[in-house]
Amino acid sequence: MTSPYKRIIGLTVLTFILAMVPLIVKSPYYMHLLIMVGMNAMLAMTFILMLRAGLISLGIAAFWGIGAYVSALLALRLDLSFWMAMPLSAIITGAVALCIGCVLVKNPGFGFIIETVVLGEIAVLAFAHLPLFGGYKGIVSIPPVDPIHIPFLFSIEFVSKTASYYLILFLFLLVAIGYSAFYSAWTGRAWLAIGLNPRLAESKGVNIYRYRLLAFVVGSAGAGLAGSFYAHYYGAIAPTTFNVFKTIYIHIFAILGGVGFPVLGPIIGAFIMILVPEVLRVAKEIEPIITGLLLILLVLFLPQGLLSLLSRRKKNARPVG
Amino acid sequence: MLKVNKLTKHFGGLVAVNEVDLHIDSSEIVGLIGPNGAGKSTLFNLINGFLKPTSGEVFFEGMDITGFKAHDVSHLGIDQSFQASTLFQRLSVLDNVFIGYHMRYKTKYWKRLLRTPSALKEERAFRKDALEILTFMGLQKLRDEQAENLSHGHQKILGVCMALATKPKLLLLDEPVAGMSPTETETMIELIRKIQEKGLTIVVVEHDMKVIMSLCDRIVVLNYGRKLMEGSPNEVLKSDEVIEAYLGKAEI
């Protein structure tokens, strides 16, 4: 297990590097892609968190969607600012996860995977058919992120891509620090134990049901936060965005980077999966084939993810989880 | 300390454990023997909460614990080491033992999450205690090694360390020396004695009769899910019934 001090130093260095990026990247288009990397990395972190506790959820995108819809509705119907709607949507998403998780988490394994697929698709259908959610067209004209006014000094407006980049960086770090706090505390140990051997963990006094539920709720709240950002950043959301294929991509981001690296892995994975297709755009017809080929090669030769290359050199440092 | 009344477990049509009565007093070592398939491991799993009995009762220190979940039974003070070396393979030896401290936290959830001084102090105390267990069992030098890199004998010892971490009053050992070399077996016997001297009650399932003979005050023999007999090691060894159960009936 990584010591908490190493985690803190690692996060600080990472923040510094990521904060420097807008000084180099000037193109708004590439800034937009990096913002997408940040948001998808948040979702991939959620996948890793649940995986640690032995839960493979194919419904992460649905919870991302719940966060997006809740945030959009709070802003449109109740006139709440983004800064109010964002935490509220994370809390509501977590509450929904608690209600559903109570039942689902009882029987993890294949049943759980299928149930999350089904529930995810039910969520998509609900978004598409309930009048409240605006049907297949979704919800449009969601107000953008409200500016922050600091009296007598200045105000920060979130119009430029750079400002949005810093916002997603902030949210990413918020979730990364939150998850890391769980990882380095006793909860992380309990999750790891459950993920590695649930029966043994249970015999050592770990209430596996409660800890799995905790992972499900915390992870879903994180996904809800990402959803809130997505809704306000895009200004429009549509139900089919949140289907199971999105979740599969989230899994790929995490696995590509390496599930043993809960913060860095998702960034690397999402970065490659989002930017490689862009670079290959010249050959648009064969792009999916090349991307697919890369993934197959990766699974064959680096099953622990790209970042396992780093720890292979050190003899004892092996990824855990 | 532990009292089992007419405990029965059916797996479909198979009766794995059939109306077994068992009575274990404080700080004794009881051996549980019987041919393969006699229901020894099933009986363990009924006591520690992995399986729910079909009928019958289990009392621990006067409390009815029949059908309790495994983690609740663990909280009450029953822990076990498993037949196969069941460990968290990818964790270090120390972290493996550390899992056992899970239920002993006294500080509040949020304090532990924010790592306040009192929570960190508690963690340090647990770490020290875990190291003491490893030292007691002679594994302190291997504390940072990954569990999967340990030899089979050390893995079995680690399994017992992990059980000790929950500070059980009753320790169930399922074939503690299976697959061990004679020297490793000697070490394990010594360790089990040392554990008993600390005041723990121990139930051992074992095929190695040498171990049973040298450790146990009392032996319970199971066959086809039923209790065949119960008595001191010498009584059991001389019993015709037991010899018959193991070797079959002599035909003259």
Side-chain angles (χ1 to χ4, degrees):
Chain A
M1 243 170 286
T2 336
S3 79
Y5 304 106
K6 266 191 205 157
R7 263 187 229 278
I8 291 166
I9 295 167
L11 271 177
T12 318
V13 173
L14 187 69
T15 315
F16 189 74
I17 295 170
L18 291 177
M20 289 296 147
V21 168
L23 298 178
I24 305 157
V25 183
K26 296 287 179 200
S27 141
Y29 176 65
Y30 279 101
M31 265 340 265
H32 165 73
L33 288 181
L34 288 177
I35 291 165
M36 285 298 105
V37 169
M39 195 198 65
N40 283 296
M42 280 168 80
L43 296 172
M45 281 200 295
T46 289
F47 165 69
I48 291 179
L49 182 123
M50 293 188 189
L51 185 72
R52 283 220 169 180
L55 297 173
I56 298 174
S57 167
L58 276 169
I60 296 173
F63 285 97
W64 178 50
I66 292 172
Y69 270 93
V70 166
S71 188
L73 287 174
L74 286 175
L76 283 172
R77 300 280 168 109
L78 298 177
D79 272 337
L80 292 181
S81 82
F82 170 74
W83 303 103
M84 281 295 287
M86 178 188 66
L88 273 177
S89 61
I91 292 168
I92 293 172
T93 313
V96 173
L98 182 67
C99 299
I100 299 173
C102 278
V103 187
L104 283 200
V105 170
K106 280 217 164 107
N107 299 307
F110 288 117
F112 179 80
I113 301 175
I114 302 300
E115 283 156 5
T116 51
V117 177
V118 172
L119 275 171
E121 292 308 289
I122 288 174
V124 171
L125 285 176
F127 294 150
H129 289 283
L130 294 178
L132 177 68
F133 300 119
Y136 275 106
K137 288 197 306 292
I139 300 177
V140 288
S141 62
I142 301 162
V145 178
D146 303 75
I148 310 172
H149 294 290
I150 297 169
F152 310 116
L153 282 172
F154 55 90
S155 63
I156 309 166
E157 300 205 20
F158 293 91
V159 216
S160 71
K161 293 286 178 201
T162 312
S164 294
Y165 174 81
Y166 281 114
L167 176 61
I168 192 69
L169 180 60
F170 168 73
L171 293 179
F172 175 82
L173 288 170
L174 196 72
V175 173
I177 291 169
Y179 286 3
S180 299
F182 279 104
Y183 287 146
S184 38
W186 87 109
T187 37
R189 217 158 31 229
W191 284 338
L192 216 51
I194 293 169
L196 289 173
N197 191 337
R199 259 172 78 94
L200 184 57
E202 200 181 9
S203 91
K204 299 293 162 245
V206 180
N207 187 332
I208 49 177
Y209 170 68
R210 202 178 290 171
Y211 280 94
R212 279 192 166 128
L213 188 59
L214 181 72
F216 193 66
V217 171
V218 170
S220 300
L225 201 69
S228 170
F229 171 82
Y230 176 78
H232 292 267
Y233 173 71
Y234 258 84
I237 44 176
T240 43
T241 318
F242 308 109
N243 63 14
V244 67
F245 296 106
K246 176 69 194 177
T247 310
I248 290 171
Y249 267 96
I250 294 168
H251 288 200
I252 293 173
F253 298 150
I255 294 163
L256 183 71
V259 289
F261 305 87
V263 176
L264 210 52
I267 298 182
I268 302 287
F271 183 81
I272 291 171
M273 276 302 288
I274 289 171
L275 284 169
V276 165
E278 290 302 323
V279 176
L280 292 176
R281 269 248 284 254
V282 270
K284 200 163 175 48
E285 294 82 18
I286 55 163
E287 177 265 301
I289 301 174
I290 297 174
T291 317
L293 204 65
L294 281 176
L295 281 176
I296 291 170
L297 287 175
L298 189 99
V299 170
L300 280 178
F301 295 107
L302 282 175
Q304 307 264 30
L306 277 178
L307 285 170
S308 63
L309 275 176
L310 295 176
S311 58
R312 259 190 198 180
R313 284 196 209 133
K314 284 186 270 167
K315 205 180 159 202
N316 282 325
R318 217 172 299 179
V320 167
Chain B
M1 181 172 223
L2 183 82
K3 211 165 136 33
V4 170
N5 282 338
K6 292 201 181 304
L7 204 63
T8 304
K9 177 70 187 175
H10 297 255
F11 291 114
L14 182 82
V15 187
V17 172
N18 196 356
E19 298 197 344
V20 170
D21 293 316
L22 193 66
H23 175 83
I24 287 152
D25 289 325
S26 210
S27 39
E28 66 174 340
I29 301 189
V30 176
L32 195 58
I33 62 169
N36 285 329
K40 305 178 298 280
S41 294
T42 310
L43 185 59
F44 265 19
N45 286 338
L46 290 172
I47 295 170
N48 67 23
F50 278 138
L51 293 174
K52 271 204 169 98
T54 313
S55 66
E57 292 160 315
V58 184
F59 289 93
F60 181 63
E61 295 188 315
M63 190 180 172
D64 187 357
I65 61 161
T66 320
F68 271 38
K69 288 251 165 63
H71 59 86
D72 290 326
V73 175
S74 170
H75 282 231
L76 289 171
I78 302 180
D79 210 315
Q80 73 161 355
S81 79
F82 294 86
Q83 202 173 76
S85 45
T86 309
L87 308 163
F88 300 113
Q89 300 283 354
R90 299 240 225 118
L91 296 186
S92 75
V93 168
L94 186 60
D95 282 333
N96 262 285
V97 180
F98 218 82
I99 300 288
Y101 288 82
H102 185 81
M103 56 190 167
R104 294 225 301 283
Y105 286 101
K106 293 246 157 46
T107 45
K108 292 262 187 315
Y109 290 107
W110 63 270
K111 279 190 176 170
R112 279 184 266 155
L113 216 48
L114 296 175
R115 313 183 73 78
T116 59
S118 59
L120 287 175
K121 198 178 146 202
E122 194 179 33
E123 286 259 347
R124 273 198 299 275
F126 286 165
R127 198 156 280 267
K128 197 168 153 255
D129 199 66
L131 270 174
E132 270 170 24
I133 291 178
L134 286 176
T135 313
F136 181 74
M137 301 290 283
L139 283 186
Q140 73 276 22
K141 279 188 188 142
L142 296 166
R143 66 180 189 207
D144 294 321
E145 199 64 46
Q146 275 201 3
E148 62 186 347
N149 297 339
L150 260 56
S151 71
H152 175 74
H154 283 145
Q155 290 196 354
K156 294 287 265 194
I157 295 177
L158 180 55
V160 180
C161 290
M162 290 166 73
L164 289 178
T166 62
K167 299 275 177 281
K169 293 165 196 155
L170 175 65
L171 186 60
L172 310 175
L173 301 174
D174 199 348
E175 300 195 12
V177 304
M180 279 188 170
S181 72
T183 24
E184 285 173 330
T185 305
E186 284 299 320
T187 322
M188 191 53 127
I189 294 176
E190 282 306 305
L191 288 173
I192 294 174
R193 278 225 186 83
K194 261 167 80 182
I195 295 168
Q196 189 214 13
E197 278 163 22
K198 283 187 130 190
L200 268 79
T201 312
I202 300 170
V203 181
V204 196
V205 163
E206 187 51 69
H207 284 298
D208 189 332
M209 285 313 280
K210 208 181 101 209
V211 177
I212 293 284
M213 288 302 151
S214 62
L215 278 176
C216 301
D217 312 315
R218 200 150 58 83
I219 294 176
V220 175
V221 189
L222 289 184
N223 194 23
Y224 294 115
R226 279 185 181 280
K227 190 159 87 176
L228 198 64
M229 76 165 293
E230 185 176 349
S232 72
N234 283 327
E235 281 168 22
V236 168
L237 261 197
K238 283 180 191 133
S239 153
D240 291 338
E241 277 178 293
V242 175
I243 293 166
E244 195 185 307
Y246 270 94
L247 300 175
K249 203 172 189 160
E251 283 179 38
I252 304 161

